[in-house]
Amino acid sequence: MSKFQQPLRKVYLPLNDLDKCAICEKDDSLRLCSSCGERIYCSSECQTKDWPSHKLSCGKTDRVDLNNFYPILAILVEQCHMHAEKPMHSALLHTVVNKPNPNALPSLLPDGSSAKVVILGDKIPLNQVGSRDWWPGALTDKVRGKLSRRFIREGYILPILTSISLGLLSEMYTTTSGARSTEKRIRLKYHSHPISDFGIACGSTRVTPQDKLAYYNLNDETFTMGQDPDEHYWLYFSTMNGKEFTLDCGMYTFNMCYMLVTQGYLPPGEAFHFPFAPAFFRDKILQKNTPELHRERKRFSVLRDPELQAAVAHTQEGLSPADLSRIWAFVKRVSGRECTDTEKHLLGTYTLLSCTKIGEVLTSDRWKEFPATPTTAIEGDPGELDDLDDGSEQWWDYLQKWKKLKRQGKLNDQTEKEAYLNWQREHEASKKANKKKGRG
C-alpha cells in the first residue's frame, strides 16, 4: 500500500449560520450550545431533549480563540519568508548605490506612478548581505537593517497565506469526536462566537508613494516594480453571527510596521530570527477606532472549498500530484494567472511546513499557554521626516535626459553606471555647497 492509499483525512465543517433548531427545526429565538458551539436550539426544552445524544460529543470540543491564536499564523508567515527555498530578493544580492533613506522622496516613474527607487550596483557575496558594504549610504545601522527586512518580506504573500490556511484546514478541521472517540474536536472561535469561514481576500491596500519600492539595476539596465499594493492579499475570518476579522501580514514591505512580540509562542529551545513579526489583526477595537485598510474585490473560502478539502486528505503522509494540482488551481483562481514554477514548489513546501507547525501547537496543547493578549508594537523609521532629500527624484529626471542624449549618440560609450556615479558626485558637491552657503 503506497503512502497515498492510507485512510483519508476528512474535513468536518462547522455550522455556517444559525438556521434552525436541531430538534424541532424552528428558525426563531435560536442560540448555540455554549459549551461546544456545535448545536443550535430554540429553547432550553429542546436542548434538554437533545442532551442524551449530544452529551457524547459536547465535552470534547476545544475552542481556540482567534485573538490568541493569530500570532502563530503571523510567525508562520515569517518562517516562510525566511525559508531557505524562497528565492533571495535581488536587492539583497547587489550593492545599493543610492540613498533610499527614510528622508528620500519618491520618484516619478515611466508609467506615471511614483515610488522610492532603489538603485542596484554590483553583486556582493552572501556574507555581506545587510552590511555596510551592501548599503554604504544608509543613515544608520538601524535604517540599513530595516530596509533589508523590507526586502526579505517582499513577495510570495499569496502562496504563503494559502499554505497557512491549508495548515489550519488540515490540522484543525479534520479533528472530530463521537461516542467511541477519545480525540478532541478543535475549532476556531472569536470570544464566544464560532468561526464559520476563513480564506483569502484580495484587493488593494492604501500605500503612499513614499512607501512603495521600485528597483533599477545599473548593470543590466532593468527596471522592476516592488510588491504591488493594488494586488494585495490577506486572511479573512467570519463568525456565525456575521462578524468579520482580517489578518494582514504583508504590509511590512510597504513600511507599515505594526508588529507583535513573538516571545511566548514558540516551544522551548526553538530559535526564531526576529523577536517581532508583522501582523495587523483588525479586531473589534481596531475596526471601531481605525480607518479601513483594504479595498476588497473578491474573497475565496479555503475552509469551504471542496477541492482544497480533498487536497488535505493525505497531509499526514505528504501531498500527491493531484493534491498539488488542486492547490495550484485555487491560487490561479485567486490571482487570475498561472502559478510560476517557483510558486508551485513553494506552495508544496510551505503547506507541509504549516501543517507540521500548526499540528504541533494543537496536539501539544501549547496554545492553551499562549499570552492572554498578544503584545504589539510599531516599528518606526528614524528620521523619516527630517532633512528631506530630493536626490532620488533628481536622479530620475537626470536619467530620462541621459537616455535621450544616449539615443542621439551624444554620449559616446558612457554606461549608465558611469552616468550615475558622475551624477552622484555632482549631487553631493551641490549639497555641500548649499549647506556652506546656508551657514554663511
Side-chain angles (χ1 to χ4, degrees):
M1 179 181 293
S2 76
K3 64 179 182 178
F4 296 117
Q5 292 175 327
Q6 302 296 326
L8 299 181
R9 271 182 153 180
K10 180 182 177 181
V11 172
Y12 298 89
L13 292 174
L15 296 171
N16 196 26
D17 51 38
L18 289 169
D19 53 358
K20 61 184 179 180
C21 175
I23 299 302
C24 69
E25 299 190 351
K26 287 183 179 178
D27 59 3
D28 59 337
S29 302
L30 300 176
R31 59 189 181 186
L32 280 172
C33 172
S34 60
S35 177
C36 68
E38 295 287 328
R39 296 285 276 180
I40 302 172
Y41 303 106
C42 67
S43 63
S44 57
E45 289 78 14
C46 282
Q47 187 168 10
T48 300
K49 187 182 296 185
D50 192 41
W51 181 242
S53 61
H54 183 48
K55 69 180 179 180
L56 299 176
S57 61
C58 183
K60 296 182 178 180
T61 301
D62 276 342
R63 304 176 72 190
V64 181
D65 200 313
L66 178 63
N67 192 56
N68 307 117
F69 194 78
Y70 83 82
I72 283 294
L73 308 183
I75 290 171
L76 261 173
V77 172
E78 285 290 270
Q79 291 174 325
C80 289
H81 277 308
M82 293 186 289
H83 198 281
E85 295 183 33
K86 181 190 174 185
M88 189 171 285
H89 198 294
S90 177
L92 293 170
L93 299 174
H94 294 79
T95 55
V96 177
V97 299
N98 66 329
K99 297 182 179 180
N101 285 295
N103 61 352
L105 294 174
S107 300
L108 183 65
L109 304 180
D111 63 359
S113 65
S114 294
K116 189 175 291 188
V117 177
V118 180
I119 302 176
L120 306 178
D122 295 332
K123 285 190 174 183
I124 60 168
L126 287 177
N127 60 4
Q128 291 184 7
V129 173
S131 70
R132 188 179 298 272
D133 290 330
W134 165 66
W135 182 22
L139 285 174
T140 65
D141 288 341
K142 288 184 177 180
V143 168
R144 184 181 294 109
K146 185 174 182 183
L147 187 63
S148 70
R149 294 193 295 277
R150 288 178 69 182
F151 296 155
I152 289 170
R153 290 160 173 157
E154 182 174 306
Y156 299 101
I157 192 65
L158 178 55
I160 291 173
L161 295 181
T162 301
S163 301
I164 290 172
S165 300
L166 287 168
L168 270 180
L169 179 66
S170 170
E171 304 306 310
M172 185 174 288
Y173 286 89
T174 58
T175 61
T176 189
S177 60
R180 302 182 188 85
S181 175
T182 58
E183 296 180 356
K184 286 277 189 180
R185 179 195 292 112
I186 308 174
R187 296 292 181 266
L188 273 178
K189 66 171 183 173
Y190 182 81
H191 296 338
S192 61
H193 304 293
I195 296 296
S196 60
D197 191 22
F198 63 82
I200 311 291
C202 65
S204 60
T205 185
R206 295 188 296 176
V207 176
T208 66
Q210 177 80 8
D211 294 323
K212 289 195 291 186
L213 295 173
Y215 307 95
Y216 193 82
N217 192 314
L218 290 173
N219 296 288
D220 57 14
E221 300 183 12
T222 56
F223 175 82
T224 55
M225 292 297 298
Q227 191 164 306
D228 187 354
D230 291 327
E231 291 295 331
H232 193 58
Y233 304 95
W234 59 95
L235 295 176
Y236 76 86
F237 299 87
S238 303
T239 65
M240 194 183 302
N241 66 338
K243 303 294 183 183
E244 297 205 339
F245 308 95
T246 57
L247 175 62
D248 194 331
C249 298
M251 292 295 292
Y252 192 95
T253 193
F254 297 130
N255 210 27
M256 180 186 169
C257 306
Y258 201 86
M259 316 289 281
L260 65 86
V261 177
T262 58
Q263 184 177 2
Y265 297 97
L266 297 171
E270 182 173 330
F272 189 61
H273 192 64
F274 296 135
F276 303 96
F280 187 70
F281 180 59
R282 201 158 185 267
D283 58 9
K284 291 171 64 176
I285 295 175
L286 286 177
Q287 287 178 17
K288 185 177 181 180
N289 296 298
T290 62
E292 179 60 64
L293 181 66
H294 305 114
R295 180 174 293 175
E296 182 178 314
R297 290 194 294 269
K298 290 183 180 180
R299 61 174 47 184
F300 300 82
S301 175
V302 171
L303 176 61
R304 297 185 176 276
D305 187 301
E307 289 296 304
L308 295 183
Q309 292 168 20
V312 301
H314 292 112
T315 48
Q316 288 175 309
E317 296 80 30
L319 292 168
S320 71
D323 299 332
L324 289 169
S325 294
R326 292 183 177 102
I327 297 170
W328 300 339
F330 173 82
V331 173
K332 179 182 177 181
R333 290 199 302 274
V334 177
S335 65
R337 60 171 179 80
E338 294 285 351
C339 294
T340 65
D341 289 342
T342 300
E343 288 171 330
K344 289 179 178 180
H345 175 71
L346 290 179
L347 278 163
T349 300
Y350 288 164
T351 298
L352 294 180
L353 172 68
S354 298
C355 290
T356 299
K357 296 294 184 180
I358 292 174
E360 289 172 353
V361 171
L362 296 178
T363 56
S364 67
D365 284 344
R366 189 157 46 85
W367 60 272
K368 295 180 180 179
E369 299 176 4
F370 286 170
T373 302
T375 301
T376 59
I378 297 177
E379 181 184 358
D381 254 346
E384 185 168 6
L385 299 178
D386 300 339
D387 189 25
L388 288 175
D389 181 2
D390 62 354
S392 293
E393 188 163 4
Q394 288 179 14
W395 155 249
W396 203 254
D397 290 341
Y398 178 88
L399 176 63
Q400 308 314 310
K401 295 175 184 176
W402 180 90
K403 286 185 174 181
K404 184 176 180 180
L405 293 173
K406 185 77 170 177
R407 287 194 298 268
Q408 294 172 353
K410 298 179 179 180
L411 293 176
N412 300 321
D413 296 327
Q414 186 185 51
T415 66
E416 196 165 306
K417 187 174 182 179
E418 291 170 339
Y420 175 78
L421 293 174
N422 288 337
W423 171 86
Q424 191 178 51
R425 285 191 289 269
E426 294 173 4
H427 179 65
E428 292 299 322
S430 176
K431 284 176 63 178
K432 289 178 181 178
N434 289 335
K435 284 185 178 181
K436 186 176 182 180
K437 184 178 180 181
R439 287 196 298 269

